[in-house]
């Protein structure tokens, strides 16, 4: 069937004004940003800020916050600013410290003190120990003490000597010598102070020998009695010494402690601790009496060594709010489990790891207790045990310090079990939306603990009011960063770039990081150019330089097209071949390149084969688009006949995954061209998705796609017939590059807004699509009529094939 | 001064006696003579048919025989010799060691003329029971008590006492014996005595010592023992020629004063 191309009025390209919505600098009403006031509020985040105010204001269980939004939105800054303001008006929370538990040293006690007094207590305790170290030895060096010690000594010595003297006298009365031998004592008969020799003894009368034989055992028995009593005398003497030491120490300790105790009379917990200190000092009074210097040869003790005798009286201040004003606002940028809940450190001592209450280190929850703790959700989630630890602590309302080893029961060595500290903190998690929704869905505890979501907007409406707010936002950033002032032209260009970042002529991006980066770089280029204020050209230079730094890949891909490595036609006509457009997003930069889409059509059983899907290079959304266009074909052209088409579609020279349905209009056009055998103008590229009724729907990245095809055409020289077909619903998103707009104004390049596939086919082929008349027929010579006829022909052919075996058998 | 004699083999305070003797010898640039007396009384006890000893630590009793006693004494001698050698070498003085067998006090007195200074530990004489180590918990050292009767010997004793007190950080107590002159004997003697007292005061002043003074009434052993007890003396320093230090007196004195005795010739 030969189709003619009548002269008909097809869709007109969009006027240049529709391709770019500029910002009227004159309407801004200022010369430079120096005239503007700072922006106090966070722009366009009224909903999020209200949620933040609510979430931080409500003091109920589980009303912690999750601040959602993409990175670079200024969430942290907004949260910090709000919290600083709120916290300053709140009272400072209590101080906390850990002290020794004298009865159970492995369970250190937590003491709560009014703000600022923990540090004072620590200093006081240090002073107390110093005083005791002076007062106790002094008490034990007093003349009175010495006299009493000597009394006790003398008493023992007297008893001892008296007993032996009596024994000696008793022995001497019987002319027996009481002798000290190398290992003990002995008794021997004597004369004139000398022991008798064996010969002398033998010469003694028998009766005398018998007397001696009787006396010596009696004396030995008396000696035994004395020796048995000595340990008892020693014990009594020792007890008296202990009692004396205790009395002397108590006097010294009481004297020092009484004054000290008066300072803490208002704190019963501290008073109780001081009583325990007093008891302990009395029990360990020898530590205070000991010489400062260790005996030579002993290894030097580490300063932090837990065995140092006076460490037990130290105060480990976990939270000291003395110099802080208001409630604490803390951001923990490394939220490991131990950085959150605290840890117990150990020191190596002679090869063993030892610890005590002085080695307890606070976590972020301790420091933020009574105030606000800001955490990055992602960082908390990737740290082992951190998320579980945080949840458990929030549930329990108290901070219990445990090591991960203890948590998992992996470590069985003796460690500390510090008394848990009551927790009253507002946790603000900051993170991406995806994490919020995943946590909501997968962690049942999350909604209980984080009841308030503050969702940051990515963009705001673009209107005169917001343009001015944007200008004030620019002002605020320039002042914070110490940048040059921006003139109104520069501000207008930044606003326009804000719309481009939003990918929408009617919206402005609130991505603060992107804007701030642009301002800094524009300031740099302004300085390089020797400008006093930043101008529109400086901003443009910054934008161009940003793009230039990251567009190596785009340049290489466009070169490949120019050199014919990647086959893309930008002129002429081809049947069943159309230029589609795909976006490549590199994260910090997105660009588009044309892709050749081709189709084949022939007799079959009604399937449209998506080659990308067959080889598993097509994503589900792409496959969906394919099925939709298949359904469109069936419903429009072959609703009452068997759909006897076998078609295939492919992205030529595409070796990666293809996802999205934005090429479905292009694919449909290629297929229709294949069916109608009508050539398609290769000077045009198509983007848009299609529904089952042939209507063209919105796609993303429209600006990049138009610019992508423009760049390829421009490299080969613009012919005036080139252009891009886009969904008309995307027109409001157009914020095209200036060179594209200029080419369009000069009639060198065109952008067409289409509503349906018929408009697309008419533009691509130059042939009217045709609508069904009252009889339901397409006009003769129209594209649709041609396609329908082709499909009917395929159905007939198929029917003929289906009937042939029956005819053959009847023959 | 040439030689310091120290009696070795004493029990509780043997170590102190040896250290003090070495210190004095070093200061006086003298040599030290360690004397170990194998107590004849012990050997006789061991030879007696019923000789036995009550053991101090276990409260048991065992039979003694001469061989066992000889062994015990040999071991003691060797210990004493080693201790003397170590102490003397520490202060780098010449030393000699002598072992004699006999009555302890008599042997000390026999050897005494060879030395200018005698340091006698508390247990000399083997007649005194141990004090039970009670002194170990004494918070401070007891004072040095020096007998001073105004004689030349007393002046030397005072110098020795000053040395010990300073070296060991002890207080000094001067035990002033009332000389015969004050009881109305010759005037010259009284004058000499005052001169000597003056010299003593001068020595103390130069040494920077400010001693306490205690009066001794009655120059006999009993009053001396009483004075030592009253002063709670840790060491008694005496001129050898002052009192009749016969074997019996010395034994009585050592048995009763409960502290080491330093005799200065």
């Amino acid at each position: 069937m030969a189709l003619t191309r009548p002269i008909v009025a097809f869709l007109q390209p969009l006027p240049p004004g529709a391709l770019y919505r500029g910002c009227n600098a004159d309407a801004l009403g200022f010369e430079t940003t120096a005239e503007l006031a700072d922006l106090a509020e966070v722009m366009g985040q009224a909903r999020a800020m209200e949620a933040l105010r609510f979430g931080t204001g409500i003091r109920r269980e589980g009303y912690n916050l999750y601040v959602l939004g993409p990175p670079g939105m200024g969430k942290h800054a907004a949260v910090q600013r709000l919290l600083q303001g709120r916290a300053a008006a709140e009272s400072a929370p209590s101080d906390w410290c850990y002290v020794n538990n004298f009865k159970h040293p492995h369970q250190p006690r937590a003491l709560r003190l009014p703000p600022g007094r923990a540090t004072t207590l620590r200093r006081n305790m240090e002073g107390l120990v110093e005083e005791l170290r002076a007062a106790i030895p002094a008490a034990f060096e007093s003349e009175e003490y010495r006299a009493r010690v000597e009394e006790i000594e003398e008493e023992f010595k007297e008893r001892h000597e008296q007993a032996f003297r009596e024994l000696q006298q008793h022995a001497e009365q019987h002319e027996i010598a009481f002798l000290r031998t190398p290992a003990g004592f002995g008794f021997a008969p004597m004369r004139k102070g000398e022991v008798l020799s064996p010969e002398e003894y033998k010469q003694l009368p028998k009766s005398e020998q018998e007397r001696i034989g009787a006396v010596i055992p009696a004396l030995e028995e008396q000696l035994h009695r004395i020796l048995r009593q000595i340990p008892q005398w020693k014990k009594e003497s020792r007890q008296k010494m202990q009692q004396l030491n205790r009395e002397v120490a108590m006097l010294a300790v009481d004297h020092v402690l009484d004054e000290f105790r008066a300072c803490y009379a208002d704190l019963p917990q501290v008073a109780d601790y001081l009583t325990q200190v007093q008891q302990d000092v009395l029990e360990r009074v020898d530590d205070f009496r000991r010489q400062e210097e260790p005996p030579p040869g002993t290894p030097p003790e580490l300063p932090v060594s837990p065995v140092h005798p006076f460490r037990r009286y130290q105060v480990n201040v976990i939270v000291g709010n003395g110099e802080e004003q208001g409630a604490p606002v803390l951001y923990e940028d490394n939220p490991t489990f131990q950085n959150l809940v605290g840890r117990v450190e150990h020191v190596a001592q002679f090869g063993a790891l030892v610890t005590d209450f002085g080695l307890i280190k606070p976590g972020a929850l301790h420091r933020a207790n009574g105030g606000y703790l800001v955490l990055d959700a992602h960082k908390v989630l990737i740290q082992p045990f951190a998320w579980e630890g945080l949840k458990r602590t929030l549930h329990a309302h108290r901070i219990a310090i445990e090591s991960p080893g203890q948590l998992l029961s992996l470590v069985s060595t003796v460690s500390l079990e510090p008394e848990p500290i009551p927790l009253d903190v507002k946790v603000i998690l900051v993170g991406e939306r995806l994490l919020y929704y995943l946590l909501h869905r997968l962690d049942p505890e999350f909604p209980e603990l984080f009841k308030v979501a503050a969702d940051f907007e990515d963009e705001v409406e673009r209107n005169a009011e917001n343009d001015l707010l944007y200008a004030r936002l620019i002002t605020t950033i320039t002042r914070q960063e110490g940048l040059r002032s921006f003139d109104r032209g520069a501000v207008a260009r930044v606003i326009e770039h804000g719309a481009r970042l939003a990918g929408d002529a009617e919206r402005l991006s609130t991505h603060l990081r992107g804007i701030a980066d642009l301002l800094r770089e524009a300031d740099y280029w302004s300085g390089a150019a020797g400008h006093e204020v930043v101008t529109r050209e400086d901003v443009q230079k910054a934008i161009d330089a940003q793009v230039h730094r990251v567009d190596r890949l785009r340049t290489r891909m466009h070169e490949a097209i120019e050199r014919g490595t990647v086959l893309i036609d930008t002129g002429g006509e081809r049947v069943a071949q159309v230029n589609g457009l795909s976006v490549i997003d590199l994260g910090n930069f997105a660009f588009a390149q044309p892709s050749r889409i081709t189709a084949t059509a022939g007799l079959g059983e009604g399937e449209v084969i998506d080659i990308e899907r067959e080889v598993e290079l097509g994503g589900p959304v792409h496959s969906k688009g394919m099925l939709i266009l298949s359904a469109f074909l069936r419903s429009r052209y072959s609703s009452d006949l068997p759909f006897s088409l076998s078609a295939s579609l492919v992205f030529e020279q595409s070796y990666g995954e293809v996802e999205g349905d934005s090429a479905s209009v292009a694919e449909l056009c290629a297929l229709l061209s294949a069916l109608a055998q009508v050539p398609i103008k290769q000077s045009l590229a198509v983007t848009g998705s299609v529904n089952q009724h042939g209507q063209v729907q919105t796609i993303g990245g429209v600006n990049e796609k138009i610019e992508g095809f423009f760049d390829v055409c421009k490299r080969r020289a613009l012919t005036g017939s080139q252009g891009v077909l886009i969904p008309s619903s995307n027109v409001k998103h157009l914020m095209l590059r200036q060179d594209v707009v200029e080419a369009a104004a000069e009639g060198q390049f065109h952008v067409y807004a289409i509503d349906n596939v018929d408009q697309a086919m008419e533009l691509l082929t130059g042939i009217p699509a045709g609508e069904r008349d009252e009889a339901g027929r397409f006009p003769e010579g129209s594209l649709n009529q041609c396609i329908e006829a082709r499909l009917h022909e395929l159905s007939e052919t198929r029917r003929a094939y289906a009937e042939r075996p029956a005819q053959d058998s009847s023959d | 001064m040439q030689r310091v004699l120290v009696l070795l083999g004493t029990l509780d305070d043997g170590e102190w006696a040896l250290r003090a003797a070495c210190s004095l010898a070093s200061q006086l640039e003298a040599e030290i003579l360690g004397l170990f007396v194998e107590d004849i009384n012990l050997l006789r006890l061991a030879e007696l048919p019923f000789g036995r000893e009550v053991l101090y630590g276990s409260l048991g009793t065992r039979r003694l025989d001469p061989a066992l006693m000889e062994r015990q004494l040999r071991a003691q001698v060797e210990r004493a010799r080693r201790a003397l050698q170590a102490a003397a070498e520490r202060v780098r003085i010449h030393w000699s060691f002598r072992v004699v067998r006999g009555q302890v006090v008599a042997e000390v007195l026999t050897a005494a003329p060879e030395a200018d200074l005698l340091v006698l530990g508390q247990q000399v004489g083997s007649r005194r029971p141990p004090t039970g180590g009670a002194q170990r918990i004494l918070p401070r050292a007891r004072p040095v008590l020096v007998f001073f009767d105004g004689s030349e010997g007393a002046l030397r004793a005072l110098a020795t006492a000053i040395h010990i007190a300073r070296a060991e950080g002890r207080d000094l107590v001067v035990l002033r014996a009332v000389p015969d002159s004050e009881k109305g004997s010759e005037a010259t003697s009284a004058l000499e005595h005052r001169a000597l007292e003056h010299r003593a005061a001068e020595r103390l002043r130069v040494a920077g010592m400010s001693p306490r003074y205690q009066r001794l009434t009655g120059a006999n052993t009993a009053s001396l023992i009483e004075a030592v007890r009253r002063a709670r003396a840790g060491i008694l320093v005496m001129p050898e020629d002052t009192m009749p230090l016969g074997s019996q007196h010395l034994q009585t004195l050592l048995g009763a004063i409960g502290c080491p005795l330093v005799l200065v010739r």
Side-chain angles (χ1 to χ4, degrees):
Chain A
M1 185 186 298
L3 290 171
T4 55
R5 290 182 180 171
I7 299 169
V8 286
F10 290 131
L11 207 59
Q12 292 303 304
L14 292 169
L19 304 184
Y20 187 85
R21 183 175 155 191
C23 175
N24 184 2
D26 296 336
L28 289 173
F30 59 86
E31 284 300 321
T32 71
T33 52
E35 300 162 26
L36 297 178
D38 282 353
L39 192 61
E41 267 290 311
V42 186
M43 184 175 168
Q45 306 296 356
R47 183 210 315 268
M49 295 311 288
E50 190 186 327
L52 275 175
R53 276 188 285 272
F54 166 74
T56 50
I58 185 167
R59 283 277 167 188
R60 295 282 172 191
E61 189 180 344
Y63 279 85
N64 296 299
L65 293 97
Y66 190 108
V67 182
L68 307 73
M73 299 292 296
K75 299 188 295 294
H76 271 290
V79 167
Q80 285 286 349
R81 199 157 51 237
L82 180 95
L83 293 180
Q84 299 287 6
R86 182 178 282 277
E90 294 175 0
S91 54
S94 302
D95 284 359
W96 284 95
C97 49
Y98 274 111
V99 291
N100 191 24
N101 182 340
F102 298 104
K103 282 183 189 158
H104 307 288
H106 70 289
Q107 293 174 325
R109 289 180 60 183
L111 290 185
R112 178 185 217 142
L113 292 103
R117 290 184 69 182
T119 316
T120 314
L121 178 65
R122 180 178 62 194
R123 275 201 301 272
N124 286 349
M125 283 303 290
E126 286 165 0
L128 176 76
V129 168
E130 283 307 309
E131 274 192 54
L132 288 174
R133 288 175 77 176
I136 291 176
F140 283 94
E141 279 165 16
S142 65
E143 282 302 318
E144 296 77 8
Y145 174 72
R146 288 181 181 194
R148 288 183 64 186
V149 168
E150 280 173 13
E151 249 174 58
I152 295 167
E153 286 281 328
E154 282 303 318
E155 187 188 345
F156 172 73
K157 206 170 159 188
E158 271 301 314
R159 264 173 140 174
H160 194 266
E161 285 183 355
Q162 179 68 25
F164 278 101
R165 204 160 32 238
E166 282 171 11
L167 177 64
Q168 192 163 5
Q169 283 168 0
H170 194 190
E172 282 171 1
Q173 280 168 8
H174 293 90
E175 291 189 311
I176 302 289
F178 176 42
L179 299 172
R180 179 85 191 258
T181 65
F185 306 94
F187 294 96
M190 67 172 183
R191 186 181 297 152
K192 294 179 184 168
E194 289 187 18
V195 172
L196 296 182
S197 65
E199 294 74 28
E200 289 170 328
Y201 176 74
K202 277 178 195 163
Q203 288 169 6
L204 291 176
K206 190 81 178 162
S207 59
E208 180 63 6
Q209 287 184 8
E210 283 172 359
R211 184 190 68 81
I212 291 167
V215 168
I216 286 179
L219 289 169
E220 283 175 350
E221 181 52 38
Q222 192 180 350
L223 174 63
H224 270 129
R225 278 201 301 277
I226 295 170
L227 292 178
R228 271 196 294 272
Q229 278 178 314
I230 288 174
Q232 180 61 28
W233 294 340
K234 272 187 186 172
K235 189 178 168 189
E236 285 173 20
S237 180
R238 215 166 32 239
Q239 284 172 343
K240 283 181 183 170
M241 282 297 293
Q242 283 169 353
Q243 179 60 26
L244 170 64
N245 288 350
R246 198 172 168 80
E247 283 171 19
V248 172
M250 198 181 281
L251 195 69
V253 173
D254 279 356
H255 178 69
V256 177
L257 260 170
D258 280 348
E259 186 185 346
F260 190 67
R261 222 191 304 257
C263 304
Y264 293 94
D266 57 329
L267 300 170
Q269 217 189 354
V270 178
D272 177 52
Y273 167 67
L274 292 176
T275 306
Q276 291 183 19
V277 168
Q278 183 181 20
Q279 290 299 322
D280 193 73
V281 169
L282 292 176
E283 283 165 21
R284 293 173 170 268
V285 85
D286 284 347
D287 287 343
F288 288 87
R289 293 177 61 189
R290 207 171 286 156
Q291 290 296 315
E292 289 271 325
E293 289 173 18
T298 50
E301 288 181 3
L302 296 170
V304 293
S305 162
V307 296
H308 193 280
F310 303 119
R311 267 183 71 83
R312 55 197 291 110
Y313 308 114
Q314 282 184 2
V315 173
N316 181 5
V317 177
I318 294 290
V319 184
N321 290 303
E323 292 157 16
E324 307 289 334
Q325 292 288 320
V329 176
L330 190 80
Y331 169 63
E332 175 58 62
D333 68 345
N334 183 23
T336 61
F337 174 77
Q338 296 200 327
N339 282 356
L340 283 177
V341 300
R343 64 189 183 282
V344 179
E345 292 184 340
H346 292 72
V347 291
Q349 199 164 50
F350 309 126
L353 289 176
V354 291
T355 185
D356 71 355
F357 70 98
L359 294 172
I360 299 172
K361 304 291 173 190
L365 285 164
H366 290 101
R367 293 194 298 272
N369 200 2
Y372 305 90
L373 176 61
V374 183
L375 297 169
D376 283 313
H378 180 250
K379 288 180 182 172
V380 175
L381 290 168
I382 61 169
Q383 290 293 344
F385 312 114
W387 177 240
E388 286 303 316
L390 178 66
K391 284 192 298 180
R392 196 172 51 251
T393 309
L394 289 176
H395 263 307
H397 303 294
R398 53 187 210 158
I399 319 168
I401 300 178
E402 288 174 305
S403 71
Q406 282 174 300
L407 270 183
L408 299 175
S409 306
L410 288 177
V411 182
S412 59
T413 49
V414 176
S415 191
L416 298 183
E417 294 171 30
E419 185 181 339
I421 288 177
L423 177 70
D424 174 23
V425 72
K426 185 73 79 176
V427 176
I428 296 106
L429 284 180
V430 180
E432 294 193 41
R433 292 196 181 92
L434 176 67
L435 284 179
Y436 177 80
Y437 296 120
L438 282 174
L439 283 169
H440 230 283
R441 186 166 167 192
L442 300 174
D443 187 345
E445 288 173 297
F446 179 71
E448 286 176 36
L449 292 171
F450 292 88
K451 292 182 193 287
V452 183
D455 199 348
F456 270 63
E457 296 279 5
D458 304 51
E459 52 201 32
V460 293
E461 195 184 340
R462 187 176 168 195
N463 53 32
E465 187 187 346
N466 279 348
D467 280 356
L468 204 55
L469 285 176
Y470 220 71
R472 285 178 61 196
L473 174 66
I474 293 166
T475 306
T476 310
I477 296 172
T478 55
R479 290 204 180 121
Q480 281 172 353
E481 302 266 336
L483 308 178
R484 290 173 178 77
S485 295
F486 280 53
D487 71 15
R488 56 188 178 185
V491 171
R493 184 67 190 96
V494 175
I495 291 170
E496 288 161 10
H497 187 67
R500 172 63 193 253
L501 286 178
D504 193 331
E506 297 171 359
R507 319 288 292 177
L508 289 172
S509 167
T510 53
H511 193 268
L512 284 178
R513 193 168 62 202
I515 298 164
D517 286 349
L518 177 64
L519 299 184
R520 289 185 203 109
E521 290 167 26
D523 174 73
Y524 169 80
W525 292 115
S526 175
H531 296 163
E532 283 188 14
V533 292
V534 181
T535 64
R536 185 180 180 91
E537 289 69 35
D538 298 326
V539 178
Q540 186 60 47
K541 170 76 179 165
I543 295 167
D544 293 344
Q546 271 183 353
V547 173
H548 181 68
R549 288 199 296 271
V550 293
D551 79 341
R552 184 191 63 81
L553 190 61
R554 178 175 70 171
T555 309
R556 293 288 164 271
M557 293 180 97
H558 289 176
E559 271 176 14
I561 292 169
E562 188 182 6
R563 295 170 66 196
T565 311
V566 175
L567 299 176
I568 298 290
D569 291 337
T570 52
E573 295 183 336
R574 293 281 186 283
V575 174
Q577 175 179 310
V578 70
N579 288 322
L581 291 163
S582 53
V583 173
I584 295 165
D585 195 342
L586 302 176
N588 58 347
F589 180 58
F591 65 94
Q593 67 158 359
S595 299
R596 175 177 287 181
I597 299 168
T598 59
T600 62
L603 182 62
E605 294 186 349
E607 76 279 355
V608 176
I609 296 170
D610 173 11
I611 291 177
E612 312 296 333
R613 186 182 61 189
E614 296 299 315
V615 297
E616 296 183 351
L617 281 174
V621 180
H622 184 253
S623 300
K624 180 185 171 191
M626 294 299 293
L627 294 171
I628 287 171
L629 71 89
S630 176
F632 165 74
L633 281 177
R634 188 183 290 117
S635 70
R636 177 181 258 195
Y637 303 109
S638 190
S639 58
D640 51 355
L641 281 172
F643 189 48
S644 305
L645 173 70
S646 177
S648 66
L649 281 159
V650 71
F651 273 65
E652 303 288 358
Q653 291 185 294
S654 161
Y655 307 105
E657 288 202 358
V658 175
E659 177 55 321
D661 63 353
S662 70
S664 58
V665 172
E667 288 164 331
L668 182 55
C669 291
L671 191 52
L672 294 176
S673 164
L675 283 168
Q677 288 298 300
V678 173
I680 283 176
K681 292 177 187 168
Q682 300 298 305
S683 57
L684 295 173
V686 189
T687 183
S689 71
V690 69
N691 67 14
Q692 294 194 105
H693 302 297
Q695 290 169 316
V696 175
Q697 304 167 142
T698 315
I699 45 89
V702 66
N703 292 306
E704 287 79 5
K705 285 174 175 169
I706 295 169
E707 288 165 1
F709 192 64
F710 174 81
D711 288 339
V712 171
C713 295
K714 194 177 173 188
R715 274 178 173 267
R716 291 178 172 167
L718 296 171
T719 59
S721 62
Q722 290 148 331
V724 179
L725 280 59
I726 62 164
S728 58
S729 52
N730 276 116
V731 172
K732 58 180 176 287
H733 299 139
L734 292 178
M735 281 301 287
L736 289 168
R737 245 171 28 214
Q738 214 49 43
D739 53 348
V740 183
V741 178
E742 285 165 9
E746 291 164 10
Q748 293 293 303
F749 194 78
H750 312 287
V751 178
Y752 299 95
I754 53 172
D755 290 314
N756 53 56
V757 73
D758 289 340
Q759 290 174 335
M761 283 305 287
E762 285 176 348
L763 285 165
L764 288 169
T765 59
I767 298 168
E771 290 183 18
R772 290 187 191 279
D773 59 14
E774 288 172 355
R777 292 196 188 91
F778 287 111
E780 194 64 30
S782 70
L783 268 173
N784 286 333
Q785 188 268 330
C786 184
I787 294 161
E788 190 173 54
R790 173 72 176 144
L791 284 170
H792 284 194
E793 184 188 319
L794 288 172
S795 295
E796 290 302 322
T797 309
R798 187 179 168 202
R799 186 186 298 165
Y801 273 107
E803 289 170 355
R804 192 175 295 167
Q807 286 170 355
D808 289 348
S809 63
S810 65
D811 291 342
Chain B
M1 193 170 285
Q2 300 296 314
R3 185 178 280 173
V4 173
L5 184 145
V6 59
L7 182 64
L8 300 172
T10 54
L11 296 166
D12 288 352
D13 286 338
E15 207 179 312
W16 176 86
L18 183 55
R19 200 178 65 240
C22 285
S23 165
L24 284 167
S26 169
Q27 201 212 13
L28 303 170
E29 296 178 357
E31 63 173 48
I32 190 159
L33 167 63
L35 179 68
F36 189 96
V37 183
E38 293 179 340
D39 192 347
I40 191 76
N41 286 341
L42 293 178
L43 289 161
R44 285 180 181 169
L45 168 66
E47 287 167 0
L48 285 169
F50 51 83
R52 58 179 180 262
E53 67 179 339
V54 175
L55 296 168
Y56 184 64
S58 67
L59 299 183
T61 306
R62 71 172 173 181
R63 180 84 185 87
L64 282 174
D65 62 59
L68 173 66
M69 186 55 73
E70 290 281 358
R71 272 202 304 280
Q72 286 183 343
L73 287 174
R74 272 202 303 279
Q76 265 195 315
V77 165
E78 184 52 30
R79 270 205 306 278
R81 194 193 62 76
R82 280 203 301 268
L84 173 67
Q85 182 180 0
E89 285 175 356
R90 206 156 38 233
V91 291
R92 297 179 183 181
I93 50 171
H94 288 292
W95 62 279
S96 54
F97 181 63
R98 184 186 300 167
V99 183
V100 294
R101 181 168 290 190
Q103 296 291 339
V104 176
V105 174
E107 292 302 328
V108 167
L109 291 175
T110 306
E114 295 177 42
D116 306 288
L117 199 138
L118 284 76
V119 181
L120 308 176
Q122 188 187 342
Q123 255 61 51
V124 65
S126 308
R127 294 290 176 82
R128 199 184 151 75
T131 51
Q135 279 180 329
R136 281 183 212 140
I137 53 169
L138 263 184
R140 59 175 177 170
R142 291 183 169 205
V144 177
L145 181 68
V146 57
F147 177 91
F148 187 83
D149 63 356
S151 65
E152 284 284 350
L155 210 57
R156 289 197 297 275
L158 180 67
T160 306
I162 287 171
H163 169 74
I164 296 172
R166 290 178 68 178
E168 305 212 350
R170 294 173 188 251
D171 291 340
L172 184 65
V173 180
V174 178
L175 185 63
R176 277 189 65 219
V178 180
D180 293 344
S181 58
E182 290 186 21
K183 294 173 190 165
S185 60
E186 295 168 23
T188 45
S189 168
L191 276 173
E192 278 173 17
H193 178 74
R194 272 202 290 280
L196 285 166
E197 272 207 330
H198 182 73
R199 281 168 65 187
E202 181 62 19
R203 282 209 178 171
L204 287 163
R205 193 187 62 74
V206 170
M209 301 290 287
S210 45
R212 281 191 287 125
Y213 289 91
Q214 193 174 310
R215 193 180 169 90
L216 176 67
T217 47
N220 55 52
T221 311
S223 58
L224 184 60
I225 290 168
E226 178 55 32
V228 172
R229 285 188 176 160
R230 206 166 62 238
R232 296 178 187 275
I235 305 154
L236 173 62
V237 183
M238 288 185 69
E240 193 213 11
D241 56 1
T242 309
M243 295 182 73
L245 284 175
S247 172
Q248 196 59 43
H249 285 294
L250 186 58
Q251 189 151 320
T252 309
L253 187 66
L254 283 167
I257 59 174
C259 69
L261 171 66
V262 176
L263 290 176
V264 182
R265 284 166 62 88

